[in-house]
């Protein structure tokens, strides 16, 4: 493991990763761009199960996952280092699991591309404009 600090071109490093890791404890972690970047590189993700992580990593319908989610430490409400290490170890030792999550990462990234996001915004704006969904009922 090598920590390089802030870099101007993170793509160079992400391309060399085997797994993306985001040990967040922020409950409002709605749409972490780092996780989406990992998906675009077909990288499985190890993350804490906070905010919108599950919705990003788990494919609706099939339930296939693009990563492993770990719980926060119940005593500290911070990421559990042993749980994160165990999840990373699974990818190092369970080749079929790693390959399956890598394939799901490739499929999941399409949900976060520009075309997909524009389509979802258009559908939402159409619902609001026609009164089908009042602003007061929108999530968040």
């Amino acid at each position: 493991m090598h920590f390089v600090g802030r870099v101007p071109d993170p793509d160079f490093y992400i391309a060399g990763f085997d797994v993306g890791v985001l040990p967040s404890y922020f409950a409002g972690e709605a749409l972490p761009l780092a996780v989406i970047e990992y998906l675009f590189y077909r990288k499985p993700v190890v993350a804490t199960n906070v905010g919108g992580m599950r919705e990003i990593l788990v494919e609706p319908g099939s339930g296939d996952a693009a990563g492993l989610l770990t719980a926060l430490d119940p005593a500290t409400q911070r990421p559990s280092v042993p749980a994160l290490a165990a999840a990373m170890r699974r990818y190092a030792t369970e080749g079929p699991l790693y390959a399956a999550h890598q394939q799901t990462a490739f499929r999941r990234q399409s949900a976060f591309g520009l075309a997909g996001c524009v389509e979802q915004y258009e559908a939402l704006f159409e619902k609001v404009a026609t009164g089908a969904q009042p602003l007061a009922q929108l999530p968040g």
Side-chain angles (χ1 to χ4, degrees):
M1 189 177 298
H2 184 72
F3 293 98
V4 296
R6 186 180 173 103
V7 295
D9 181 19
D11 293 337
F12 171 80
Y13 293 96
I14 294 171
F17 293 172
D18 290 319
V19 176
V21 179
L22 187 64
S24 178
Y25 57 90
F26 180 55
E29 193 78 72
L31 193 65
L33 295 179
V35 171
I36 293 169
E37 288 174 352
Y38 300 148
L39 298 178
F40 273 87
Y41 277 93
R42 288 178 95 165
K43 306 297 179 179
V45 178
V46 171
T48 45
N49 192 9
V50 297
M53 294 294 187
R54 179 171 299 282
E55 289 78 9
I56 293 172
L57 295 178
V58 178
E59 212 168 38
S62 73
D64 292 342
L68 296 170
L69 294 168
T70 64
L72 295 177
D73 181 296
T76 64
Q77 290 302 299
R78 296 292 191 252
S80 165
V81 173
L84 291 164
M88 289 186 277
R89 198 172 304 110
R90 284 190 67 192
Y91 281 138
T93 59
E94 298 177 34
L97 175 69
Y98 179 84
H101 286 189
Q102 192 175 40
Q103 288 299 315
T104 304
F106 179 70
R107 291 193 310 270
R108 288 298 295 141
Q109 59 87 17
S110 66
F112 303 99
L114 184 57
C117 288
V118 167
E119 189 177 298
Q120 290 178 39
Y121 276 120
E122 286 176 342
L124 175 63
F125 293 153
E126 182 66 29
K127 283 181 179 178
V128 171
T130 62
Q133 183 165 3
L135 285 174
Q137 292 180 357
L138 293 176

Coordinates of all heavy atoms in Angstrom, one line a residue, residues 31-74:
L31 N -24.3 10.4 -2.9 CA -23.8 10.0 -4.2 C -22.3 10.3 -4.3 O -21.9 11.2 -5.0 CB -24.6 10.9 -5.3 CG -24.4 10.5 -6.7 CD1 -25.1 9.1 -6.9 CD2 -25.1 11.5 -7.6
P32 N -21.5 9.5 -3.6 CA -20.1 9.7 -3.6 C -19.5 9.5 -5.0 O -19.5 8.4 -5.6 CB -19.6 8.7 -2.6 CG -20.6 7.6 -2.5 CD -21.9 8.3 -2.9
L33 N -18.9 10.5 -5.6 CA -18.3 10.4 -6.9 C -17.2 9.5 -7.0 O -17.0 8.8 -8.0 CB -17.9 11.8 -7.4 CG -19.0 12.8 -7.6 CD1 -18.5 14.2 -8.0 CD2 -20.1 12.3 -8.5
A34 N -16.4 9.3 -5.9 CA -15.3 8.3 -5.9 C -15.8 6.9 -6.2 O -15.2 6.2 -7.0 CB -14.5 8.4 -4.6
V35 N -16.9 6.6 -5.6 CA -17.5 5.2 -5.9 C -17.9 5.1 -7.3 O -17.7 4.1 -8.0 CB -18.6 4.9 -4.9 CG1 -19.3 3.6 -5.2 CG2 -18.1 4.8 -3.5
I36 N -18.5 6.1 -7.8 CA -19.0 6.1 -9.2 C -17.8 6.0 -10.2 O -17.8 5.2 -11.2 CB -19.9 7.3 -9.6 CG1 -21.2 7.2 -8.8 CG2 -20.1 7.4 -11.0 CD1 -22.0 8.4 -8.8
E37 N -16.7 6.7 -9.9 CA -15.5 6.6 -10.7 C -14.9 5.2 -10.6 O -14.5 4.6 -11.7 CB -14.4 7.6 -10.2 CG -14.8 9.0 -10.5 CD -13.8 10.0 -9.9 OE1 -13.0 9.6 -9.1 OE2 -13.9 11.2 -10.2
Y38 N -15.0 4.5 -9.5 CA -14.5 3.1 -9.4 C -15.3 2.2 -10.3 O -14.8 1.4 -11.0 CB -14.6 2.6 -8.0 CG -13.8 3.3 -6.9 CD1 -14.2 3.4 -5.6 CD2 -12.6 3.9 -7.2 CE1 -13.5 4.1 -4.6 CE2 -11.8 4.6 -6.3 CZ -12.3 4.7 -5.0 OH -11.6 5.3 -4.0
L39 N -16.6 2.5 -10.3 CA -17.5 1.6 -11.2 C -17.1 1.8 -12.7 O -17.1 0.9 -13.4 CB -19.0 2.0 -11.0 CG -19.5 1.7 -9.6 CD1 -21.0 2.2 -9.5 CD2 -19.4 0.3 -9.2
F40 N -16.8 3.1 -13.1 CA -16.5 3.3 -14.5 C -15.2 2.6 -14.9 O -14.9 2.3 -16.0 CB -16.4 4.8 -14.8 CG -17.7 5.4 -15.1 CD1 -18.6 5.9 -14.2 CD2 -18.1 5.5 -16.5 CE1 -19.8 6.4 -14.5 CE2 -19.3 6.0 -16.8 CZ -20.2 6.5 -15.9
Y41 N -14.3 2.3 -13.9 CA -13.1 1.6 -14.1 C -13.3 0.1 -13.9 O -12.3 -0.7 -13.8 CB -12.0 2.1 -13.2 CG -11.3 3.3 -13.8 CD1 -11.7 4.6 -13.5 CD2 -10.3 3.2 -14.7 CE1 -11.1 5.7 -14.1 CE2 -9.6 4.3 -15.3 CZ -10.1 5.5 -15.0 OH -9.4 6.6 -15.5
R42 N -14.5 -0.4 -13.7 CA -14.8 -1.8 -13.4 C -14.1 -2.3 -12.1 O -13.7 -3.4 -12.0 CB -14.4 -2.7 -14.6 CG -15.2 -2.6 -15.8 CD -14.7 -3.5 -16.9 NE -15.4 -4.8 -16.8 CZ -15.4 -5.6 -17.8 NH1 -14.7 -5.3 -18.9 NH2 -16.0 -6.7 -17.7
K43 N -14.1 -1.4 -11.1 CA -13.5 -1.8 -9.9 C -14.5 -2.1 -8.8 O -15.4 -1.3 -8.6 CB -12.6 -0.7 -9.3 CG -11.5 -0.2 -10.3 CD -10.5 -1.2 -10.6 CE -9.5 -0.6 -11.6 NZ -8.5 -1.5 -12.0
P44 N -14.5 -3.3 -8.3 CA -15.4 -3.6 -7.1 C -15.1 -2.6 -6.0 O -14.0 -2.1 -5.9 CB -15.1 -5.0 -6.7 CG -14.4 -5.6 -7.9 CD -13.7 -4.5 -8.6
V45 N -16.0 -2.4 -5.1 CA -15.9 -1.4 -4.1 C -16.1 -2.0 -2.7 O -17.0 -2.8 -2.5 CB -16.9 -0.2 -4.3 CG1 -16.8 0.8 -3.2 CG2 -16.7 0.4 -5.7
V46 N -15.3 -1.6 -1.8 CA -15.5 -1.9 -0.4 C -15.9 -0.6 0.3 O -15.1 0.4 0.2 CB -14.2 -2.5 0.3 CG1 -14.4 -2.6 1.8 CG2 -13.9 -3.9 -0.3
A47 N -17.0 -0.6 0.9 CA -17.5 0.7 1.5 C -18.3 0.4 2.7 O -18.8 -0.7 2.9 CB -18.4 1.4 0.5
T48 N -18.5 1.4 3.5 CA -19.3 1.3 4.7 C -20.8 1.5 4.2 O -21.0 2.2 3.3 CB -19.0 2.3 5.7 OG1 -18.8 3.6 5.1 CG2 -17.7 2.0 6.5
N49 N -21.7 0.8 4.9 CA -23.1 0.8 4.5 C -23.8 2.1 5.1 O -24.5 2.0 6.1 CB -23.8 -0.5 5.0 CG -25.1 -0.6 4.4 OD1 -25.5 0.1 3.5 ND2 -25.9 -1.6 4.9
V50 N -23.5 3.2 4.5 CA -24.1 4.5 4.9 C -24.6 5.2 3.7 O -24.3 4.9 2.6 CB -23.0 5.4 5.6 CG1 -22.5 4.7 6.9 CG2 -21.9 5.8 4.7
G51 N -25.5 6.1 4.0 CA -26.1 7.0 2.9 C -26.6 6.1 1.8 O -27.4 5.2 2.0
G52 N -26.3 6.5 0.6 CA -26.8 5.8 -0.6 C -25.9 4.8 -1.2 O -26.0 4.4 -2.3
M53 N -24.9 4.3 -0.4 CA -23.9 3.3 -0.9 C -24.7 2.1 -1.5 O -24.3 1.6 -2.5 CB -23.0 2.8 0.2 CG -22.0 3.9 0.6 SD -20.8 4.4 -0.5 CE -19.9 5.4 0.6
R54 N -25.6 1.5 -0.7 CA -26.3 0.3 -1.2 C -27.0 0.6 -2.5 O -26.9 -0.3 -3.4 CB -27.3 -0.1 -0.1 CG -28.1 -1.4 -0.6 CD -28.9 -1.9 0.6 NE -28.1 -2.3 1.7 CZ -27.4 -3.5 1.8 NH1 -27.4 -4.3 0.8 NH2 -26.7 -3.8 2.9
E55 N -27.6 1.7 -2.7 CA -28.3 2.0 -3.9 C -27.4 2.1 -5.1 O -27.7 1.8 -6.3 CB -29.2 3.3 -3.8 CG -30.4 3.2 -2.9 CD -30.1 3.2 -1.4 OE1 -28.9 3.5 -1.0 OE2 -31.0 2.9 -0.6
I56 N -26.2 2.6 -4.9 CA -25.2 2.7 -5.9 C -24.6 1.3 -6.3 O -24.5 1.0 -7.5 CB -24.0 3.6 -5.5 CG1 -24.6 5.1 -5.4 CG2 -22.9 3.6 -6.5 CD1 -23.6 6.0 -4.8
L57 N -24.3 0.5 -5.3 CA -23.6 -0.7 -5.5 C -24.5 -1.9 -5.9 O -24.0 -2.9 -6.4 CB -22.7 -1.1 -4.3 CG -21.6 -0.1 -4.1 CD1 -20.8 -0.5 -2.8 CD2 -20.7 0.0 -5.3
V58 N -25.7 -1.9 -5.5 CA -26.6 -3.1 -5.7 C -27.5 -2.8 -6.9 O -28.3 -1.8 -6.9 CB -27.4 -3.5 -4.4 CG1 -28.3 -4.7 -4.7 CG2 -26.4 -3.8 -3.3
E59 N -27.5 -3.7 -7.8 CA -28.3 -3.6 -9.0 C -29.8 -3.9 -8.7 O -30.2 -4.9 -8.1 CB -27.9 -4.7 -10.0 CG -28.0 -4.3 -11.4 CD -27.2 -5.3 -12.3 OE1 -27.2 -6.5 -12.0 OE2 -26.6 -4.8 -13.3
P60 N -30.7 -2.9 -9.0 CA -32.1 -3.1 -8.7 C -32.6 -4.3 -9.6 O -32.2 -4.5 -10.7 CB -32.8 -1.8 -9.2 CG -31.7 -0.8 -9.3 CD -30.4 -1.6 -9.6
G61 N -33.5 -5.0 -9.0 CA -34.1 -6.2 -9.7 C -33.3 -7.4 -9.4 O -33.8 -8.4 -8.8
S62 N -32.0 -7.5 -9.9 CA -31.3 -8.7 -9.7 C -30.7 -8.9 -8.3 O -30.4 -10.0 -7.9 CB -30.1 -8.8 -10.8 OG -29.1 -7.8 -10.4
G63 N -30.4 -7.7 -7.7 CA -29.7 -7.8 -6.4 C -28.2 -8.1 -6.5 O -27.5 -8.2 -5.4
D64 N -27.7 -8.1 -7.7 CA -26.2 -8.3 -7.9 C -25.5 -7.1 -7.3 O -26.0 -6.0 -7.5 CB -25.9 -8.5 -9.3 CG -26.4 -9.8 -9.9 OD1 -26.7 -10.7 -9.1 OD2 -26.5 -9.9 -11.2
A65 N -24.4 -7.4 -6.7 CA -23.6 -6.3 -6.1 C -22.3 -6.0 -6.8 O -21.7 -6.9 -7.4 CB -23.3 -6.6 -4.6
A66 N -21.9 -4.7 -6.8 CA -20.6 -4.3 -7.3 C -19.6 -4.1 -6.2 O -18.6 -3.4 -6.5 CB -20.8 -3.0 -8.2
G67 N -19.9 -4.5 -5.0 CA -19.0 -4.3 -4.0 C -19.5 -5.0 -2.7 O -20.5 -5.7 -2.6
L68 N -18.7 -4.8 -1.6 CA -19.0 -5.4 -0.3 C -19.2 -4.2 0.6 O -18.4 -3.2 0.7 CB -17.9 -6.2 0.2 CG -17.6 -7.5 -0.6 CD1 -16.2 -8.1 -0.2 CD2 -18.7 -8.5 -0.5
L69 N -20.3 -4.2 1.4 CA -20.7 -3.2 2.3 C -20.4 -3.7 3.7 O -20.7 -4.8 4.1 CB -22.1 -2.8 2.2 CG -22.5 -2.2 0.9 CD1 -24.0 -2.1 0.8 CD2 -21.9 -0.8 0.8
T70 N -19.7 -2.8 4.5 CA -19.4 -3.2 5.9 C -20.2 -2.2 6.8 O -20.5 -1.1 6.5 CB -17.9 -3.0 6.2 OG1 -17.5 -1.7 6.0 CG2 -17.1 -3.9 5.3
A71 N -20.5 -2.7 8.0 CA -21.2 -1.9 9.0 C -20.2 -1.0 9.8 O -19.0 -1.3 9.9 CB -21.9 -2.8 10.0
L72 N -20.8 0.1 10.3 CA -20.0 0.9 11.2 C -19.8 0.2 12.5 O -20.6 -0.6 12.9 CB -20.7 2.2 11.4 CG -20.9 3.2 10.2 CD1 -21.7 4.4 10.6 CD2 -19.5 3.5 9.6
D73 N -18.7 0.5 13.2 CA -18.4 0.0 14.5 C -19.6 0.5 15.4 O -19.8 1.7 15.5 CB -17.1 0.5 15.0 CG -16.7 -0.1 16.4 OD1 -17.5 0.3 17.3 OD2 -15.8 -0.8 16.5
P74 N -20.3 -0.4 16.1 CA -21.5 0.0 16.9 C -21.1 1.0 18.0 O -21.8 1.8 18.4 CB -22.1 -1.3 17.4 CG -21.2 -2.4 17.0 CD -20.2 -1.8 16.1

